[in-house]
Amino acid sequence: MTDVQRIEIEYCTQCRWLPRAAWLAQELLTTFEAELTELALKPGTGGVFVVRVGDEVVWDRREQGFPEPTAVKQAVRDRVAPGKSLGHSEKPSAD
């Protein structure tokens, strides 16, 4: 693990996905406030919605669909804070 833990959420401005990206950013910042040094929102086009940790893509809407927050948190956790509990959001639902 490096000292710099940067997350980037690239979202499509044409699709008006800023609110979705901002909400996901808030979720990640709240969950990983001690582990992250930066979280960037990057405007894009063409239907892009990609989450990166450093230079590594951890979620791409084109391949995986829109992410559930828990899935993104798990992917980020595995890279920035392995072993960190995500609490109730990690437990299987009882639906």
Side-chain angles (χ1 to χ4, degrees):
M1 183 166 89
T2 64
D3 291 334
V4 176
Q5 294 298 328
R6 180 181 193 271
I7 293 179
E8 177 183 281
I9 302 172
E10 184 177 4
Y11 64 95
C12 179
T13 57
Q14 296 166 314
C15 302
R16 302 191 184 280
W17 287 339
L18 173 58
R20 186 184 296 253
W23 179 78
L24 183 58
Q26 176 183 314
E27 288 288 310
L28 293 172
L29 286 168
T30 301
T31 302
F32 300 104
E33 63 186 350
E35 291 84 9
L36 300 180
T37 56
E38 181 179 359
L39 192 145
L41 295 176
K42 180 180 178 181
T45 58
V48 68
F49 197 93
V50 175
V51 180
R52 294 179 183 87
V53 176
D55 293 329
E56 181 184 0
V57 173
V58 297
W59 200 275
D60 186 337
R61 182 198 65 81
R62 288 190 180 119
E63 296 174 12
Q64 298 158 286
F66 272 112
E68 288 296 321
T70 300
V72 175
K73 287 180 185 181
Q74 289 171 344
V76 169
R77 185 264 322 268
D78 292 348
R79 285 146 184 94
V80 303
K84 178 182 176 100
S85 171
L86 296 178
H88 71 278
S89 67
E90 205 166 25
K91 295 177 184 168
S93 65
D95 296 338

